[in-house]
Amino acid sequence: MTDQLKKYLLEDRSVRVQAVRLTDTWKAAQANHDYPPAITHLLGELVAASTLLAANIKFDGSLVLQIQGDGPIALLVVECRSDLSLRATVKIREGHVVPAEGDMQSLLNPGGNGRFIVVLDPQAKVPGQQAYQGIVPLEGDTVAEALQHYMKASEQLDTRLWLAADAEHAAGMLIQRLPYHGGSDSAALSEQAASETWDRTSALAATLKRDELLATDIDTLIHRLFWEETLVAFEPAPVRWHCPCTRERVANMLRSLGEAEVKDILAERGQVDVSCDFCGKPYAFDAVDCAALFTGNPPASDQTPPTVH
Ligand SMILES: [Zn+2]
């Protein structure tokens, strides 16, 4: 049984409902890391959120959710591609220890400089095109609240999110009001009726508790919340862990550090060991490999470093 994301529409097609529950994907994300529970909660919720948002992007590419902090946690980052393959990692601020318990504000925003960042990065860009990046101050007590603040600030569609994670599961539910396409056709949905559907759906969804979201499979959860409604269900979409790191990308990252820096590391340690921040895969560059990095070989076409800053 693979991890899945499920999408539904209310019968009048004015509200979208999505739910995701991750087990294997979330375990893979934690496999090479020893996260304290506070990070497990925050990162798992960000992972679940990334799939809910990536499921609606209209291009081939990736959606990156980042929380940059000024506390013990410097960065939480999740990259989810349009095929719902994802990777995630955390950077702890040097010299800091993350307490076992702690909320988003105390771990990421004690100085008030925390930021919530959303990047939309189409794979095939026209020349000169850049990834879209939206940045807002880190507001709210939870990842869901921070994301809702972002959606509101960037004038997105009315959206509400519920997120939860522990070491076993990362889960989320999203409801979103879809744009109203008015018209004189009497069969067209009236704005009034659409508002009523939104209010009703919000009220039903608002009864969802964190523990219930974590413990319940999607079908049971959706039935329990919306059994009085008629939902149109879409084909479930599989979600999986995938890290696209390659030796070539690591080589490019080392080139960007510069020859002097790489030679220093080589002199100190005999070889340069780099492990991927996301999946932990080790990459070793010995003296010969390092020399080859700077001998005028044309750099590989893919300049993306293995980390997302
Ligand atoms: Zn990797």
Side-chain angles (χ1 to χ4, degrees):
M1 179 76 182
T2 54
D3 290 339
Q4 289 185 330
L5 181 140
K6 297 193 176 185
K7 277 192 185 189
Y8 311 83
L9 277 178
L10 270 286
E11 194 178 20
D12 67 9
R13 295 173 192 270
S14 66
V15 178
R16 163 193 285 156
V17 176
Q18 293 173 195
V20 69
R21 191 157 177 269
L22 305 175
T23 308
D24 293 345
T25 307
W26 178 223
K27 288 199 171 142
Q30 301 171 84
N32 290 291
H33 308 274
D34 185 19
Y35 294 136
I39 287 186
T40 304
H41 292 154
L42 292 170
L43 188 65
E45 292 185 2
L46 203 62
V47 163
S50 76
T51 66
L52 293 168
L53 299 188
N56 295 323
I57 58 178
K58 302 282 193 289
F59 55 84
D60 265 348
S62 62
L63 170 133
V64 179
L65 297 182
Q66 286 184 49
I67 303 179
Q68 289 181 0
D70 60 11
I73 302 175
L75 179 73
L76 297 166
V77 55
V78 182
E79 178 185 25
C80 186
R81 284 160 293 272
S82 35
D83 65 358
L84 301 187
S85 64
L86 66 85
R87 60 178 181 166
T89 193
V90 175
K91 275 198 174 31
I92 310 295
R93 191 168 304 285
E94 215 155 299
H96 283 70
V97 175
V98 176
E101 297 302 327
D103 59 18
M104 186 175 76
Q105 289 295 335
S106 70
L107 296 174
L108 282 141
N109 202 26
N113 298 309
R115 294 284 179 271
F116 192 92
I117 301 166
V118 177
V119 181
L120 295 173
D121 195 3
Q123 201 163 44
K125 296 184 195 61
V126 297
Q129 187 186 9
Q130 301 210 324
Y132 163 82
Q133 182 169 282
I135 306 178
V136 295
L138 187 59
E139 290 180 47
D141 292 329
T142 63
V143 173
E145 285 176 15
L147 197 48
Q148 281 168 185
H149 279 294
Y150 171 83
M151 306 283 266
K152 207 169 169 193
S154 57
E155 294 176 46
Q156 309 264 351
L157 304 170
D158 277 340
T159 305
R160 294 198 62 195
L161 277 150
W162 291 261
L163 302 168
D166 59 15
E168 297 296 307
H169 302 290
M173 186 176 79
L174 170 150
I175 63 170
Q176 190 166 56
R177 185 167 174 177
L178 298 175
Y180 171 64
H181 301 293
S184 53
D185 186 349
S186 61
L189 172 69
S190 81
E191 191 146 20
Q192 173 69 25
S195 288
E196 284 170 19
T197 303
W198 172 249
D199 292 345
R200 213 169 58 240
T201 311
S202 303
L204 293 170
T207 63
L208 179 60
K209 299 283 182 291
R210 183 182 183 279
D211 291 347
E212 184 183 18
L213 177 58
L214 267 183
T216 317
D217 69 88
I218 297 175
D219 293 341
T220 308
L221 188 78
I222 294 296
H223 178 73
R224 197 182 286 167
L225 293 171
F226 302 111
W227 63 273
E228 289 168 296
E229 302 290 331
T230 303
L231 296 181
V232 182
F234 292 79
E235 194 67 29
V239 181
R240 68 193 168 93
W241 170 269
H242 172 65
C243 185
C245 67
T246 60
R247 186 173 175 84
E248 203 166 274
R249 288 184 190 202
V250 176
N252 283 328
M253 187 273 290
L254 292 174
R255 281 192 192 96
S256 73
L257 279 181
E259 191 165 4
E261 174 92 25
V262 170
K263 275 188 169 163
D264 279 354
I265 302 171
L266 198 58
E268 195 182 311
R269 305 194 189 150
Q271 67 172 19
V272 178
D273 291 301
V274 180
S275 57
C276 174
D277 285 344
F278 292 87
C279 67
K281 186 171 176 182
Y283 294 94
F285 290 75
D286 64 15
V288 176
D289 298 329
C290 289
L293 289 174
F294 300 102
T295 50
N297 288 343
S301 60
D302 186 349
Q303 296 285 342
T304 313
T307 54
V308 180
H309 292 285

